[in-house]
Amino acid sequence: MRIHQFPYLNDNYGVLLHCPHTNETAAIDAGDSAAYLRASEATGWTITQIWVTHHHGDHVAGLADLLDETGAKLFAPDSVGRSFEDSHSLAHDDQFTFAGADIQV
């Protein structure tokens, strides 16, 4: 796995998690879609999943735009996911797959 961390807004950091074997990339949170898209372009990694950790604005403000721009799959708490079609709403102990690995919430 490769990790790329980058600043956004005044005091936040975004993270891209990339698997070079499957070419999948997860964006962790989406507070500023432009910053995530710049990071994706800079690394050459295409965002295939978006993982939202919680509903605060500095973690979701860019979510709608990032989903529109990337077509990525959304994995998020129900408080966030229920607002988006085709999202995967998650709760404590749920699992999903990324790059062939089981991810436990």
Side-chain angles (χ1 to χ4, degrees), residues 19-33:
C19 176
H21 302 292
T22 64
N23 211 31
E24 294 175 80
T25 301
I28 302 177
D29 291 323
D32 179 346
S33 61

Side-chain angles (χ1 to χ4, degrees), residues 6-98:
F6 55 94
Y8 73 90
L9 301 177
N10 293 328
D11 60 354
N12 292 82
Y13 285 91
V15 175
L16 297 180
L17 179 63
H18 177 75
C19 176
H21 302 292
T22 64
N23 211 31
E24 294 175 80
T25 301
I28 302 177
D29 291 323
D32 179 346
S33 61
Y36 279 83
L37 293 170
R38 283 191 303 272
S40 174
E41 184 176 325
T43 58
W45 304 340
T46 300
I47 298 170
T48 57
Q49 293 186 5
I50 302 170
W51 305 351
V52 174
T53 60
H54 62 286
H55 68 273
H56 291 165
D58 59 342
H59 292 259
V60 298
L63 183 54
D65 289 339
L66 194 58
L67 285 167
D68 286 345
E69 289 290 326
T70 64
K73 295 178 185 176
L74 173 62
F75 296 87
D78 189 53
S79 60
V80 175
R82 68 175 170 238
S83 300
F84 296 92
E85 197 173 310
D86 297 325
S87 70
H88 302 274
S89 291
L90 301 170
H92 181 72
D93 283 335
D94 283 347
Q95 291 186 6
F96 62 98
T97 302
F98 174 72

